[in-house]
Amino acid sequence: MFNFQQYRHIQAPGWSLGWTWAKKEVIWSMMGGQTTEQGDCSRYKGNTPHCCKKDPLVVDLLPGTPYNQQIANCCKGGVINSWVQDPANAASSFQVSVGGSGTTNKTVKLPKNFTLRAPGPGYTCGPAKIVKPTKFTTADQRRVTQALMTWNVTCTYSQFLAQKTPTCCVSLSSFYNDTIVSCPTCTCGCQNNLTHPGSCVDPNNPYLASVVQSPGKNSYQPLVQCTSHMCPIRVHWHVKLNYKDYWRVKITITNFNYRMNYTQWNLVVQHPNFDNLTQIFSFNYKSLTPYAAINDTAMLWGVKFYNDLLSQAGPLGNVQSELLFRKDKATFTFDKGWAFPRRIYFNGDNCVMPPPDAYPWLPNASSRPIVSLLYSILTILAASVIVLAYA
């Protein structure tokens, strides 16, 4: 399994891959993975197959698996990193010994109905397609062997299939305005403890520890802190300082999910000034250029063993960094919200931005005084009409 997505990875508890056999195949043995159920193997005497189900579901083995059960790229608990973040760990493998399918290309039939969960829904898999046989090179690079048959299955991701509501939101602030623009209310849901108790957790609840530790029906479903936005993740963009030739931004990612530690997290930000990014502190950075001539998209992620783990909700449930941009005199401005990002993704999911008219404005912005003056004029005219009518 290769993850060719640049900024979406598969995190714990990992992937599970399923399919339906075309005939009466069984799995005699496996390396690097295992099926979740054995099924009914009562028709076999003596040696019992690993799995006899018509529709097996395979999961990865855990780290620390004995070496005689491992193969290359296995045993990572189903975690697959994104292609940009860690290409060396963007693949996962397992080996299956199949019985009941014959031994020639003519007798082997392609499985169908492939499913991929990572760990929940979101991926849709197409049919298996026969491709050129895979070639294997020996360790000494002097001999090449070839598979008898190879097929590929392509699975694509949809955020709309993965969850009904967003998973993250963005808040904004700046040094030139006291206003802090919060995430829109009810971005990821609304507090509804009256009809659905337990939809969120009050951080001041004296029984917080017992609520968090109790196992949920689906461990990958978030258990969030009670907030106005109800999102598991909030990304805050703060325009911090303004220099003569540079300007500085502080990014803070806060985890409100009591049930999830986000390992190998990443953030994708779109802003026109990323072509003049001068320095970034405590995050890794890579430019993403979906359009060759435009460099306005950056991928950010944590430094290994320092802040690559975003801990669950609580005092340690945040990571932050600062970015230093060089000003481009042809485009730079603080006016009309230019200093704020156009779009943000967390772990590949699109985060909800505040409405543009709510962005922090410059103190001398002309639009608000005009509105105030117009309001005053209308008020005076209305008062005059009332006085005249009374007279």
Side-chain angles (χ1 to χ4, degrees), residues 216-236:
K217 182 178 180 181
N218 296 314
S219 59
Y220 56 85
Q221 292 293 336
L223 177 65
V224 299
Q225 185 182 119
C226 293
T227 59
S228 61
H229 53 79
M230 292 291 286
C231 289
I233 294 293
R234 183 191 66 194
V235 181
H236 186 75

Side-chain angles (χ1 to χ4, degrees), residues 78 223 240 328:
L223 177 65
K240 186 176 181 180
D328 184 349

Side-chain angles (χ1 to χ4, degrees), residues 171-189:
S171 58
L172 308 170
S173 63
S174 65
F175 70 90
Y176 54 78
N177 194 311
D178 293 336
T179 302
I180 298 177
V181 181
S182 303
C183 292
T185 303
C186 294
T187 300
C188 304

Side-chain angles (χ1 to χ4, degrees), residues 21 56 64-65 130 136 210-211 253 277 284 342-344 358:
W21 291 117
T65 297
I130 298 176
F136 307 93
S210 61
V211 173
I253 308 172
L277 179 64
N284 288 310
R342 307 302 184 262
R343 189 170 296 180
I344 289 182

